[in-house]
Amino acid sequence: MSGGGASGAQEAIGRIPRQFLGHLATFVAVADTLSFRKAAEILGRSQPGISAQIRQLEEFLGIELLVRTTRQVRLTAAGAELLDRAKKIVAETQRLVSDIQAQGGIQGGQIVVSFSPTTAVSLIPPVLSAFVEEYPGVRVLLREDLGAEQIEAVLTANADFGIGPYYRVPDALRFEPVFEQEFFLIVRADHPLAFRGHIRVKELVEVDLLSSSFGTTAREVLDEALRKEGITLAPRFEALQYPTLFTLAASGFGGTVMPLVNRNMLDALGLKAIPFRGTRISRTIGIVTRRGEEPAPAANAFIRLLQLIAEQEGRNLGLE
């Protein structure tokens, strides 16, 4: 079946003239100026050559795109529709060429990446491994920041971009969602709930709760889930970083509601992640950049690898 699909794609591509994209760019120049003479000047070609390309494009499409008189040039209905879509195709092609050429030009330099602690453990190793292999000359500095610190780092250009949970970002920054990070109840493998294999939010009242500190998104996510159930809980212990919470859980002090983070780490600590039944608890993880400012080519390359790996390997990395 895949062979037939590939054959069909090759056949479809084969029906498109090799000069088609160039003819589209010529058409955009003529249609924008409504002048063959001006289009010829813009493109640095002869006016007869421009006219010939428009005729060839019309012959291929089988429809008139421009009405020409001795006094004016105007678009037909089909020409007006083509102009709108051709502009997008030409612009996207120009961006594609520019981006790929920029990728090839990444030889050195330095980027600073701000990660939230839970995403750092899952994403840093595979993304960094792929990035170093493709761009060995680029130095990558990693910052491990909580939400407010990450926002400040990107805002002040102390980091090229950030990757972490959604925070209310100022207008000067942009947050682009990448994936949803699910929360579990993390308990010792010998806990009764670990044998049952699931828990409901309202049953957290029966758990000695180990919670993230106020001001963290993990605490906000937990508190919101409890509010929806009409529950108010006083955690037994609070801690800022997830390794501390995991260690407390492994020591038998209770359970913590946190993302999976890393399966190997849980196994090493003798912990098990219990999914919630009835209600899915999660938060949005995304990329924070400065609005209106295009990241440097090396930073863009890192972002694209991160998005690709998160999409392809998200479940294996405990990201969803």
Side-chain angles (χ1 to χ4, degrees):
M1 184 175 294
S2 61
S7 176
Q10 290 171 354
E11 183 180 347
I13 293 172
R15 289 198 297 265
I16 301 175
R18 280 177 291 180
Q19 306 92 339
F20 182 73
L21 187 59
H23 288 9
L24 273 186
T26 298
F27 168 74
V28 169
V30 175
D32 266 348
T33 61
L34 293 179
S35 168
F36 283 80
R37 179 183 59 79
K38 290 180 181 177
E41 292 174 357
I42 292 171
L43 298 175
R45 298 175 191 160
S46 68
Q47 191 169 328
I50 295 293
S51 299
Q53 287 194 354
I54 298 299
R55 281 198 305 273
Q56 290 168 4
L57 182 61
E58 290 176 324
E59 288 171 5
F60 171 70
L61 296 174
I63 193 167
E64 189 177 40
L65 302 172
L66 297 163
V67 176
R68 313 153 177 86
T69 68
T70 56
R71 304 182 65 178
Q72 66 173 352
V73 176
R74 65 177 176 83
L75 289 166
T76 64
E81 180 179 350
L82 178 63
L83 176 61
D84 181 56
R85 300 173 71 171
K87 280 184 174 181
K88 295 175 183 177
I89 292 171
V90 171
E92 182 59 31
T93 301
Q94 290 171 339
R95 280 195 296 270
L96 173 63
V97 172
S98 177
D99 289 347
I100 297 301
Q101 288 176 337
Q103 297 288 328
I106 299 173
Q107 301 295 331
Q110 172 180 293
I111 61 173
V112 182
V113 184
S114 171
F115 275 82
S116 67
T118 55
T119 54
V121 172
S122 298
L123 275 176
I124 275 185
V127 176
L128 197 57
S129 177
F131 185 82
V132 168
E133 183 176 351
E134 288 196 38
Y135 309 103
V138 179
R139 186 183 182 205
V140 182
L141 299 183
L142 303 173
R143 293 176 51 116
E144 194 173 27
D145 294 318
L146 294 175
E149 297 166 342
Q150 184 175 105
I151 296 300
E152 180 67 16
V154 179
L155 194 61
T156 57
N158 286 315
D160 291 288
F161 68 94
I163 172 75
Y166 173 71
Y167 264 73
R168 288 166 289 279
V169 299
D171 291 340
L173 298 181
R174 178 173 177 266
F175 181 88
E176 180 183 358
V178 177
F179 60 88
E180 287 294 309
Q181 188 177 51
E182 186 174 358
F183 279 59
F184 299 82
L185 175 66
I186 310 294
V187 294
R188 277 173 46 150
D190 60 0
H191 193 284
L193 286 169
F195 293 104
R196 192 176 77 174
H198 67 268
I199 185 174
R200 296 184 183 275
V201 174
K202 63 183 179 182
E203 294 173 327
L204 287 175
V205 296
E206 303 169 11
V207 178
D208 288 328
L209 200 59
L210 311 169
S211 173
S212 297
S213 303
F214 278 111
T216 63
T217 55
R219 181 60 177 267
E220 289 182 6
V221 168
L222 174 61
D223 287 347
E224 178 62 22
L226 294 172
R227 274 195 296 270
K228 288 180 179 178
E229 293 288 337
I231 300 171
T232 301
L233 290 181
R236 183 179 182 186
F237 296 110
E238 297 181 14
L240 188 62
Q241 299 281 5
Y242 76 89
T244 306
L245 294 169
F246 283 9
T247 302
L248 289 174
S251 300
F253 287 104
T256 182
V257 178
M258 290 292 290
L260 191 60
V261 181
N262 184 286
R263 287 187 175 90
N264 293 332
M265 179 186 297
L266 294 185
D267 291 341
L269 290 171
L271 297 173
K272 189 170 181 181
I274 311 302
F276 284 91
R277 178 171 290 183
T279 302
R280 186 176 190 269
I281 303 178
S282 67
R283 65 183 177 184
T284 302
I285 301 295
I287 295 169
V288 180
T289 55
R290 290 180 286 280
R291 190 180 296 277
E293 180 180 327
E294 183 69 15
N300 254 335
F302 197 101
I303 290 172
R304 286 171 182 154
L305 276 175
L306 186 150
Q307 292 170 322
L308 180 64
I309 289 174
E311 179 182 354
Q312 294 180 343
E313 303 292 335
R315 188 167 295 278
N316 292 333
L317 295 173
L319 303 181
E320 56 182 3

